[in-house]
Amino acid sequence: MASSSIPKTMRGILIEKTGGTEVLQYRTDLPVPEPKEGEILVKNEFIGINYIDTYYRTGLYPAPKPEILGREASGTVLSTGPGNTFSLTAGDRVVWMATGGYAEYTACPAAKAIKIPSAISSADACAAILQGLTAVTLVEEAHKVLSGDTILVHAAAGGVGLWLCQVLRAKGAKVIGTASTEAKREEAKSNGASVCCGYEKEEVLKLVKKETNGEGVRAVFDGVGKTTWDISLEAVARKGSVISFGNASGAVEPFTISRLSAKNVKIARPTFFGYIVTRDEFERYANELFKMMIDDKFNAKIHEVYPLQDVARAHNDLEGRKTTGKLLLKP
């Protein structure tokens, strides 16, 4: 699209103060951003919603206001700014991770945008990029999972949990999953978990003992935090790893590090973006995710695509625990 045909204003969601969903203002007069050095202008087709968006909306996580929420989207490149845009050009179909996604157009860093393979839909690419890449980097970097490993995944039916089940299955690992309801446990099993149970300590440890002949799991991927930490330390095998990557039940409380010595256990508390700092890292893991999505027919698990103006309903559904899978907006 020629720059002369790019509109001056756009539809988007603006928040000028923190609060409930009432602060999500649907506007039709927001200025279309211009790409700066190293940026591309994308016309968004699908926009991802993440729970962290509600933290920025309520003020739990501070951020300057006014603000346009949204940390990923897929769409078409309309123009590029000066500098290195990593061979991305107008007309490319891309998925990106940055900020300012709840809008028709976003100027985002080219370094965190990548072309979508023709075999993957724009909706699936948007649904996959943040949570799917989190799963890929965890099993490659936080603990290198090998074929034949038995792995424990807490919250196996959660956003990252479902991707972990699929990625681990593709790697040839056996997955033991925990989830709060029978429906969620069945969802985890349909996405790659071999067996599942609830969160009761005795139940988890009994299942782990049975499935590993008493040895314990090679690694635990724990996005729950406070309430599962002791279970994770007991379930892991000698020389295994406990990877804490989330705080759904609260932060892990301080503990005595000598607890690790009985089994020579390794622990890590990674953040996803720390694994994709360089362009090479981002491209490597994104392309690995795309390949697995195509070859292993991954399920992107989209809960619902909401019209942009229905963003408040989407936030209410997410906060009310009414959803399973990824929530998307469509401008």
Side-chain angles (χ1 to χ4, degrees):
M1 182 183 290
S3 58
S4 59
S5 59
I6 297 173
K8 299 296 184 185
T9 59
M10 65 178 182
R11 294 176 295 121
I13 306 298
L14 189 71
I15 59 171
E16 295 181 300
K17 60 182 180 180
T18 57
T21 55
E22 74 281 353
V23 304
L24 296 164
Q25 303 176 50
Y26 176 68
R27 299 275 292 270
T28 60
D29 60 348
L30 297 175
V32 173
E34 293 186 9
K36 300 181 176 66
E37 179 86 16
E39 291 185 339
I40 57 174
L41 178 65
V42 179
K43 180 176 174 57
N44 296 322
E45 184 180 0
F46 293 96
I47 301 157
I49 298 176
N50 296 288
Y51 210 91
I52 196 173
D53 298 347
T54 69
Y55 295 162
Y56 286 111
R57 190 202 73 222
T58 61
L60 181 63
Y61 287 3
K65 303 292 183 286
E67 179 183 16
I68 296 176
L69 300 175
R71 304 177 74 82
E72 84 263 64
S74 59
T76 304
V77 178
L78 298 187
S79 64
T80 61
N84 185 6
T85 56
F86 300 95
S87 301
L88 297 174
T89 59
D92 286 343
R93 193 169 63 103
V94 299
V95 61
W96 60 262
M97 294 184 299
T99 55
Y102 286 14
E104 282 186 277
Y105 303 90
T106 303
C108 65
K112 289 298 182 282
I114 194 166
K115 291 182 185 179
I116 304 169
S118 59
I120 297 176
S121 71
S122 295
D124 283 357
C126 183
I129 193 66
L130 190 58
Q131 294 172 337
L133 270 186
T134 297
V136 170
T137 55
L138 284 173
V139 304
E140 287 291 330
E141 295 263 12
H143 175 90
K144 178 69 173 178
V145 175
L146 303 177
S147 180
D149 285 349
T150 300
I151 306 296
L152 175 61
V153 176
H154 288 304
V160 176
L162 287 174
W163 282 102
L164 274 169
C165 288
Q166 294 184 91
V167 171
L168 288 166
R169 178 175 59 184
K171 296 283 185 183
K174 180 179 182 180
V175 179
I176 301 171
T178 62
S180 59
T181 67
E182 186 58 34
K184 288 185 177 181
R185 291 191 281 272
E186 289 302 315
E187 184 72 31
K189 285 193 278 189
S190 70
N191 281 274
S194 299
V195 292
C196 290
C197 64
Y199 288 107
E200 290 297 322
K201 184 175 184 178
E202 293 77 12
E203 184 182 10
V204 178
L205 295 179
K206 181 179 179 180
L207 185 58
V208 166
K209 185 176 181 179
K210 175 186 174 184
E211 297 295 325
T212 64
N213 295 317
E215 292 185 3
V217 294
R218 295 309 310 158
V220 184
F221 291 104
D222 189 342
V224 176
K226 182 178 180 180
T227 61
T228 52
W229 182 247
D230 283 339
I231 299 173
S232 298
L233 287 178
E234 290 196 36
V236 70
R238 182 178 68 89
K239 299 196 291 185
S241 303
V242 177
I243 310 303
S244 175
F245 68 93
N247 311 309
S249 67
V252 173
E253 295 180 342
F255 69 99
T256 304
I257 197 167
S258 60
R259 285 184 64 186
L260 307 177
S261 62
K263 294 189 287 186
N264 286 3
V265 171
K266 298 180 288 292
I267 60 171
R269 182 54 175 93
T271 59
F272 161 59
F273 285 100
Y275 288 135
I276 57 162
V277 172
T278 69
R279 178 67 183 183
D280 285 347
E281 289 171 331
F282 175 58
E283 286 188 354
R284 172 191 167 192
Y285 289 124
N287 287 324
E288 182 173 346
L289 173 63
F290 292 154
K291 186 177 189 301
M292 286 191 288
M293 288 175 70
I294 296 167
D295 293 350
D296 297 288
K297 298 180 171 56
F298 280 6
N299 175 16
K301 188 59 181 175
I302 296 169
H303 172 75
E304 185 175 341
V305 180
Y306 299 76
L308 182 61
Q309 59 267 33
D310 288 355
V311 63
R313 178 169 67 88
H315 273 225
N316 284 329
D317 288 351
L318 186 62
E319 292 176 290
R321 307 294 181 182
K322 299 177 182 178
T323 68
T324 302
K326 188 70 174 182
L327 281 62
L328 300 180
L329 296 169
K330 190 165 180 62

